[in-house]
Amino acid sequence: MTARIGVVTFPGTLDDRDTQRAVRVAGAEAVPLWHKDKDLKQVDAVVLPGGFSYGDYLRAGAISRFSPVMESVIEQAKAGMPVLGICNGFQVLTETHLLPGAMLRNNHLHFICREQKLRVENAETAWTADYTAGQEIRIPLKNIDGQYTADERTLDMLEAEGRVAFRYLDGNPNGSLRDIAGITNEAGNVVGLMPHPEHAVEPLIGTGRADGLGFFTSILKKLVNA
Amino acid sequence: MARVVVDVMLKPEILDPQGQAVQRALPRLGFQGISDVRQGKRFELEVDGPVDAAALARIHELAETFLANTVIEDFVVKVEEGQETRKAEEAAK
């Protein structure tokens, strides 16, 4: 049976269609989920895509956290369901405290849109198993609230437990502490990152490479083997 | 009705790039001698009914869970007395 991967749309989400497409390109079934619905339609995993949910009012991701769909996502994530948060989705995951830390405005205050080199630090999460630890990938980055921050104790804990999943290479684009581009929860089922793998799943678009496809094939493989 | 003000500020140890950008613009505008600027948010809540201890506790919870992200921000809850005082003055006239 095909794996069903839910993609949540909040008001202001931009990248839900690209994410659905990435899921299909990887060979899974993309299931659209609406922010007002508590029902997750029996999906096997959920992606919180990029964009500006609720216009980023209050703080990026802060209002989405209290949407009906997130009640179910939080509950299921804690029970082990794989969840990937991309950009605004990562912000939502920190606001829900499924992932530690918080996101600040980029240190230079500019919106940034560029091709970003990353190192995959942890290839054992639900979303990174198709990569190898230390692998360098290039995927698009576009945000203004992308500066990852947490207190020293949290950062040390993340490093010690191997929970820094991705690090920026060739220049830190936003002042993120310790060049952190993405992290995972302790169990490895919840992953968040600022750059956009869903925009680089086919050579024709994005970076001209398909470096982001591994996220979606990783989860597929995990679900099929589960 | 009473007004409760919630002031939210980035914690002192958190870099505030917006405040810094404002501060850097000051000399250009002819304002000297201001060595630091930090930018926060002010929420004005119009509350129905009396702002008693229970209502304040609820607002405190609201601030802590929603208005502020306590990973990076501090907040202060204040009851604004002005309005009620004004009303009392008018009544006295």
Side-chain angles (χ1 to χ4, degrees):
Chain A
M1 225 182 79
T2 324
R4 288 163 60 81
I5 300 180
V7 179
V8 178
T9 301
F10 299 99
T13 294
L14 300 174
D15 297 325
D16 42 348
R17 294 302 185 93
D18 281 36
T19 306
Q20 290 169 16
R21 180 172 170 77
V23 166
R24 289 195 297 269
V25 168
E29 183 186 347
V31 180
L33 297 174
W34 181 235
H35 70 115
K36 278 188 179 164
D37 297 335
K38 272 189 88 165
D39 178 16
L40 295 186
K41 300 182 183 170
Q42 286 156 348
V43 293
D44 304 298
V46 165
V47 183
L48 305 175
F52 296 87
S53 60
Y54 295 89
D56 273 358
Y57 294 138
L58 187 57
R59 295 177 306 278
I63 298 177
S64 316
R65 168 194 167 184
F66 294 98
S67 64
V69 75
M70 283 308 296
E71 282 178 44
S72 308
V73 169
I74 292 167
E75 192 186 300
Q76 291 298 309
K78 285 181 176 164
M81 184 185 71
V83 178
L84 175 66
I86 302 167
C87 196
N88 190 235
F90 185 16
Q91 293 158 342
V92 173
L93 289 176
T94 60
E95 286 285 341
T96 59
H97 305 299
L98 284 171
L99 293 174
M103 225 64 70
L104 293 170
R105 190 136 289 203
N106 295 345
N107 58 350
H108 45 70
L109 292 177
H110 296 291
F111 186 91
I112 190 164
C113 181
R114 73 180 200 196
E115 187 179 318
Q116 179 66 47
K117 201 169 175 188
L118 300 177
R119 186 167 57 231
V120 181
E121 302 278 21
N122 183 336
E124 281 161 31
T125 77
W127 301 92
T128 56
D130 261 359
Y131 297 101
T132 51
Q135 187 178 344
E136 294 179 6
I137 60 174
R138 281 193 284 142
I139 59 179
L141 173 81
K142 54 184 177 101
N143 64 66
I144 189 161
D145 291 302
Q147 181 182 178
Y148 182 76
T149 189
D151 59 31
E152 285 296 309
R153 203 166 52 87
T154 304
L155 293 169
D156 288 343
M157 181 262 292
L158 290 173
E159 302 269 12
E161 294 178 4
R163 287 170 54 188
V164 176
F166 311 93
R167 234 184 277 267
Y168 295 117
L169 288 183
D170 294 350
N172 183 328
N174 48 30
S176 280
L177 296 180
R178 304 198 192 178
D179 299 333
I180 289 174
I183 56 174
T184 176
N185 69 343
E186 203 174 351
N189 63 310
V190 180
V191 172
L193 79 164
M194 286 316 292
H196 290 260
E198 81 282 14
H199 294 326
V201 296
E202 290 162 302
L204 190 62
I205 54 162
T207 54
R209 300 149 61 116
D211 286 8
L213 188 61
F215 283 80
F216 305 96
T217 54
S218 293
I219 188 62
L220 194 53
K221 214 173 273 178
K222 179 181 165 66
L223 293 172
V224 169
N225 292 338
Chain B
M1 273 225 311
R3 175 175 292 173
V4 177
V5 175
V6 181
D7 279 313
V8 176
M9 289 296 295
L10 280 175
K11 289 181 178 178
E13 68 270 24
I14 301 283
L15 176 79
D16 176 10
Q18 293 175 100
Q20 284 187 345
V22 173
Q23 193 268 329
R24 280 198 301 269
L26 295 179
R28 247 189 297 139
L29 300 173
F31 294 101
Q32 308 296 335
I34 295 171
S35 56
D36 192 28
V37 175
R38 293 181 72 77
Q39 180 177 324
K41 291 179 201 151
R42 172 186 166 103
F43 298 87
E44 297 185 350
L45 314 178
E46 301 295 340
V47 183
D48 300 331
V51 183
D52 51 16
L56 264 182
R58 289 287 292 155
I59 291 168
H60 196 274
E61 189 189 339
L62 161 72
E64 189 165 30
T65 53
F66 189 46
L67 299 182
N69 177 348
T70 54
V71 175
I72 47 172
E73 293 167 329
D74 293 325
F75 66 91
V76 180
V77 178
K78 282 179 296 203
V79 182
E80 203 167 69
E81 305 287 355
Q83 281 182 318
E84 278 165 45
T85 314
R86 255 201 315 278
K87 270 182 206 149
E89 279 166 6
E90 277 164 22
K93 274 178 195 168

